[in-house]
Amino acid sequence: MSAWQITLGSAGVAISLVAWAMFFSGAWRMVRIIRLGQPDSTRNGPFIPRLKTLIKEFAAHTRMSKFRHVAPWHWMVMWGFLLGVLLVFEAYGEAFVPSWHWPYLGAWSVWSLLVELLGLGTIVGGVALAVIRQLNHPRRADRQSRFAGSNFGAAYFVEAVVIIEGLGMLGVKAFKESSGLEDMPLWSSFVTKPLSSVLPPSPVLVSVMALIKLASGMLWLAVVSRNLTMGVAWHRLSAFFNIYFKREDSGDVALGALKPMMSGGKPLDFEEADPDKDVFGAGQIEDFSWKGFLDFTTCTECGRCQSQCPAWNTGKPLSPKLVITQLRDHAYAKAPYLLAGGKRDMAGDEVGLTGEDPHAGIDVLALAESEKSLVGDVIDPEVLWSCTSCGACVEQCPVDIEHVDHIVDMRRYQVMIESNFPSELNGMFKNLENKGNPWGQNAKDRLQWTEDLDFEVPVFDGDLGDAEYLFWVGCAGAFEDRAKKTTRAVAELLHMADVKYVVLGPEETCTGDPARRAGNEFVFQQLAMQNVEVLNSVFEDREPGKRKIVVTCAHCFNTLANEYPQLDGHYEVVHHTQLLNRLVRERQLVPIAPVGGSATDITYHDPCYLGRHNKVYDAPRELAGAAGANLREMPRHGDRSMCCGAGGARMWMEEKIGKRINVERVDEALGTAPSKIATGCPFCRVMLSDGVTSRQSDGLASESVEVLDVAQLLLNSVKREAPASEQADEPSSETEETPLTS
């Protein structure tokens, strides 16, 4: 070893000792902060399924691949980081002894090829990601950029380190070749071998490149240890845990059912709950679970969630990304106070720290942060109530952050403890409590939709008899004029197919979906337990596999299928499009081709709670095709479909900021030049109908454009009697008086 090599090697070791000490200290502090969250034992297992999900998501980049132009470059960088760790540790030996390499492994030609690919892939991937970030920079695209609000300095630091690491990998190898310290075949060194022919032979330069490779890694460790909120860097480690501990052990994303209201790691029992001891949603940052803290920590600020959010895309203040990063920054800023034992009651008074000088030794900034209200100071109320709970953010997140659960937890606290929520929800809550439906209609009117039918609709009278299905009509299907047409169409189709079914009539009550999404968990459980009691009595003599319910409302479908099991309500729930599609396939319903063979041009809108939340995409489209329609897809469809604006109880709230979401969606639908816009949810139908009416009044849509349910398309095709225009939506005085048209 020369003096130069001893100096370079010693410098590498000295730098490393400091950097690794800083890193482990920062990592331990991060763990302590994450553990400040509430317990959540639902994440503990099972081990094998969760491990399989982890391996699949990181190795195959299954979630990252939703943005295909980004996935390959990120995949290269990821493997460069994971396997490049071996090369970083190899650099310790190379700095002292330029010819050193890992025993056995370093002399293997296949390993040499892998190092070549890792170095090249890391450089190319790092450059590509930086270019993508530049091409999508918000200075040009503003809100259209998914990076709006992201920390560009942190991102460029990480990408720079990535590129330097790659250059170090190839540099060490090339100088070893030029110095005669390594002689690998061309196929395993297709970049470094030609490069070595123009480089000077110098073992010292091998040590220099090794130190560069080593120092860049140590710089990364030192910087991130001092910046625990640098999610774009820390996700390299925390993402593995966040994916493993995702809500669904099946590997599904956190959609469908909402997370139950938890306190102390267990579902909250309202009969025994104590507001002074139990956690009601999230009123302070420490009310989130440890998985919530891990979510905040893992956010990479990639903005995929933001790019898909209907609120953000229509000028609302809500960005799912910024919600998570604001919660993260608040959590880490407040952490010194919480770690010291600080705690404030609901009135804001200190109850955790005692003594003559309880705040001694606590950072003054942390004390100031502890006085901030979660909703109001950290999260703007307009942000909180702009969410439609469509789940687009959750669907797109590559590291499995559970945005909707966190937003609803904050809503729960605001509704149940603070009684602070949009005034429009007051009437909806009262109607649900007193009348069992959001519109305040009388239960005796739940069968009015049957009056125009030329056959008798069977009503449950205490015995299911030979009925195969319970037809859950839903509040919209029973009371909203446009939704009634869907209900009648489905009933008529079931009658024509000779499917035995019954309806509950006055015994049916709202499933509680709007109350739960608005944060009123108490009203939801009240309604849900009442319905579960009724349904369990209806199916009392039926074995579990034969407790079948068919629904026309996507929200009812989701609640009955995914949330009632939390309250011991276990049923086989199908959406009407799924059942009707099966009946068509089995030839129990036979659509007739359009006269003259002229297909109707339609575009189909995927309801969020049917599509994204429950993965029902094909059945409605197949039905439309069977009915003779020519489908024209909107740019955003399937799991990227844009919300109609009605979810998350937004149906009952006024839209005062930005462009109306339903109008934005209608504009997209009209861009396909359809004669009809089809959907499979009464909420979507109302919102889209209102959007079409708005555009027609502006002169931007043809008066002939109709909005209807897929079931109506099928009924027209099966009957081929009345012109389709008779199935169109016409305004009604009842509908115009309801908040539904907001």
Side-chain angles (χ1 to χ4, degrees):
M1 285 186 288
S2 69
W4 270 107
Q5 289 157 356
I6 293 173
T7 302
L8 292 171
S10 300
V13 171
I15 292 170
S16 298
L17 289 174
V18 175
W20 281 110
M22 291 175 67
F23 176 75
F24 283 118
S25 174
W28 174 239
R29 180 175 172 77
M30 177 177 284
V31 170
R32 291 178 65 209
I33 292 172
I34 291 171
R35 291 176 64 185
L36 288 170
Q38 297 291 312
D40 185 353
S41 59
T42 64
R43 315 281 178 160
N44 293 343
F47 175 72
I48 297 299
R50 288 185 177 276
L51 183 62
K52 286 181 178 178
T53 297
L54 171 60
I55 293 172
K56 180 178 71 174
E57 286 195 20
F58 96 79
H61 258 37
T62 52
R63 300 201 44 74
M64 181 63 69
S65 295
K66 289 182 176 291
F67 276 37
R68 294 180 182 176
H69 66 287
V70 177
W73 313 118
H74 188 275
W75 188 82
M76 292 178 186
V77 170
M78 181 198 72
W79 283 110
F81 171 72
L82 292 176
L83 296 180
V85 170
L86 286 173
L87 300 178
V88 170
F89 280 103
E90 187 179 48
Y92 288 111
E94 292 167 334
F96 285 104
V97 182
S99 61
W100 194 87
H101 55 67
W102 290 112
Y104 306 109
L105 193 63
W108 189 24
S109 297
V110 175
W111 172 252
S112 176
L113 175 62
L114 181 58
V115 172
E116 195 88 354
L117 294 174
L118 286 174
L120 191 62
T122 302
I123 295 168
V124 172
V127 170
L129 292 177
V131 169
I132 289 170
R133 191 173 293 273
Q134 270 298 306
L135 292 176
N136 291 275
H137 199 288
R139 66 171 167 262
R140 290 189 295 270
D142 193 29
R143 273 183 176 252
Q144 295 178 17
S145 168
R146 61 189 176 93
F147 296 116
S150 296
N151 187 330
F152 274 75
Y156 288 140
F157 165 74
V158 170
E159 285 156 2
V161 169
V162 163
I163 294 168
I164 293 170
E165 283 285 299
L167 291 172
M169 293 178 196
L170 297 182
V172 167
K173 199 173 175 205
F175 276 109
K176 278 187 175 182
E177 291 272 0
S178 71
S179 302
L181 302 175
E182 186 173 278
D183 186 19
M184 290 291 175
L186 180 62
W187 62 266
S188 71
S189 305
F190 56 90
V191 173
T192 53
K193 200 169 187 70
L195 181 61
S196 68
S197 64
V198 298
L199 293 177
S202 174
V204 171
L205 288 178
V206 174
S207 297
V208 170
M209 292 305 299
L211 182 62
I212 290 173
K213 180 171 64 171
L214 183 61
S216 62
M218 296 307 103
L219 176 65
W220 186 87
L221 292 178
V223 170
V224 301
S225 71
R226 303 293 295 175
N227 296 274
L228 300 187
T229 58
M230 193 185 284
V232 69
W234 278 104
H235 86 279
R236 289 181 169 195
L237 304 172
S238 62
F240 293 102
F241 298 97
N242 214 49
I243 294 169
Y244 177 85
F245 290 115
K246 66 194 298 184
R247 194 180 76 185
E248 305 298 331
D249 56 52
S250 63
D252 291 337
V253 294
L255 294 175
L258 276 175
K259 183 186 72 173
M261 197 164 175
M262 308 283 284
S263 179
K266 299 177 181 178
L268 189 66
D269 184 345
F270 282 103
E271 294 183 359
E272 300 178 0
D274 182 353
D276 293 327
K277 297 179 181 178
D278 288 304
V279 173
F280 282 69
Q284 303 177 83
I285 195 67
E286 58 268 31
D287 292 339
F288 288 101
S289 71
W290 61 264
K291 177 55 170 64
F293 275 70
L294 185 57
D295 274 356
F296 310 153
T297 300
T298 306
C299 179
T300 69
E301 302 183 33
C302 68
R304 294 180 181 217
C305 57
Q306 182 173 283
S307 71
Q308 303 298 305
C309 178
W312 179 260
N313 281 295
T314 53
K316 314 293 188 293
L318 168 63
S319 158
K321 174 185 70 179
L322 297 180
V323 166
I324 297 301
T325 57
Q326 286 161 359
L327 291 172
R328 175 199 66 199
D329 293 345
H330 174 59
Y332 279 83
K334 187 178 178 180
Y337 165 79
L338 296 173
L339 289 170
K343 182 177 176 59
R344 297 184 186 276
D345 60 17
M346 287 187 288
D349 297 324
E350 179 62 59
V351 294
L353 299 174
T354 58
E356 292 183 4
D357 190 4
H359 297 151
I362 301 176
D363 190 323
V364 66
L365 295 178
L367 289 174
E369 200 74 26
S370 73
E371 295 176 355
K372 290 183 179 180
S373 60
L374 187 65
V375 176
D377 294 327
V378 180
I379 303 296
D380 191 287
E382 289 288 357
V383 168
L384 185 66
W385 294 105
S386 292
C387 179
T388 66
S389 71
C390 68
C393 50
V394 179
E395 176 65 36
Q396 289 297 325
C397 182
V399 291
D400 289 305
I401 292 171
E402 299 160 9
H403 313 71
V404 174
D405 283 346
H406 302 321
I407 287 172
V408 172
D409 266 343
M410 288 187 281
R411 285 184 173 186
R412 284 166 169 167
Y413 186 87
Q414 293 302 302
V415 171
M416 303 183 68
I417 301 299
E418 297 287 345
S419 295
N420 186 13
F421 48 85
S423 58
E424 307 99 290
L425 293 178
N426 254 323
M428 190 262 285
F429 289 152
K430 289 178 181 177
N431 287 335
L432 287 174
E433 288 188 84
N434 300 328
K435 296 289 189 176
N437 66 84
W439 292 283
Q441 300 291 320
N442 293 320
K444 63 181 178 61
D445 295 330
R446 278 190 176 268
L447 288 173
Q448 280 188 351
W449 63 270
T450 66
E451 293 174 359
D452 298 335
L453 298 173
D454 57 6
F455 59 91
E456 185 177 349
V457 174
V459 181
F460 179 71
D461 60 1
D463 183 15
L464 275 176
D466 61 350
E468 183 180 2
Y469 290 95
L470 171 68
F471 181 11
W472 186 273
V473 176
C475 302
F479 299 124
E480 206 283 321
D481 280 357
R482 288 166 283 192
K484 285 180 185 178
K485 295 178 182 179
T486 302
T487 309
R488 284 193 286 267
V490 172
E492 193 166 351
L493 288 165
L494 294 179
H495 177 73
M496 294 169 70
D498 197 29
V499 174
K500 305 299 182 185
Y501 70 93
V502 297
V503 299
L504 285 178
E507 293 298 310
E508 192 177 293
T509 301
C510 179
T511 59
D513 164 84
R516 189 170 221 198
R517 265 76 198 163
N520 199 331
E521 185 75 7
F522 180 76
V523 170
F524 164 74
Q525 291 204 20
Q526 213 175 19
L527 294 167
M529 287 190 288
Q530 178 182 336
N531 281 326
V532 167
E533 185 178 351
V534 169
L535 290 171
N536 285 348
S537 66
V538 168
F539 291 119
E540 187 175 11
D541 298 324
R542 291 281 175 95
E543 56 191 74
K546 295 184 178 180
R547 298 183 168 196
K548 299 180 180 179
I549 301 175
V550 59
V551 298
T552 59
C553 175
H555 296 258
C556 294
F557 172 63
N558 179 70
T559 305
L560 290 167
N562 299 322
E563 298 190 330
Y564 277 22
Q566 297 172 357
L567 301 170
D568 199 31
H570 302 276
Y571 319 106
E572 184 181 327
V573 187
V574 297
H575 192 254
H576 71 283
T577 58
Q578 294 175 302
L579 176 57
L580 295 177
N581 194 42
R582 179 174 67 79
L583 295 175
V584 169
R585 287 185 173 190
E586 294 176 355
R587 309 291 293 173
Q588 289 178 257
L589 291 172
V590 183
I592 302 171
V595 177
S598 57
T600 303
D601 292 325
I602 75 156
T603 189
Y604 174 72
H605 164 77
D606 287 281
C608 300
Y609 276 87
L610 181 63
R612 195 154 37 237
H613 281 273
N614 287 284
K615 306 297 182 282
V616 179
Y617 300 115
D618 296 334
R621 288 175 168 79
E622 290 175 7
L623 268 186
N630 176 37
L631 182 64
R632 296 181 174 184
E633 293 284 14
M634 287 181 260
R636 287 179 283 194
H637 64 275
D639 64 4
R640 291 198 186 184
S641 178
M642 183 179 175
C643 182
C644 71
R650 287 294 319 174
M651 177 79 90
W652 288 271
M653 289 183 260
E654 285 297 330
E655 218 172 318
K656 302 171 184 176
I657 303 174
K659 185 178 180 180
R660 297 173 72 87
I661 294 174
N662 62 329
V663 173
E664 172 77 6
R665 186 55 168 167
V666 164
D667 285 345
E668 193 168 5
L670 294 175
T672 67
S675 59
K676 292 179 174 61
I677 301 172
T679 188
C681 172
F683 284 30
C684 296
R685 179 171 180 173
V686 168
M687 300 300 283
L688 295 176
S689 296
D690 290 347
V692 167
T693 301
S694 174
R695 281 313 188 210
Q696 287 171 338
S697 67
D698 295 338
L700 299 176
S702 168
E703 294 296 326
S704 63
V705 176
E706 303 170 355
V707 180
L708 69 171
D709 191 277
V710 175
Q712 290 176 275
L713 281 175
L714 180 64
L715 182 61
N716 289 338
S717 180
V718 169
K719 294 175 70 174
R720 287 292 177 217
E721 293 175 2
S725 60
E726 292 183 12
Q727 299 290 330
D729 295 335
E730 64 267 4
S732 69
S733 57
E734 177 184 335
T735 302
E736 289 172 356
E737 292 172 1
T738 67
L740 248 175
T741 56
S742 63

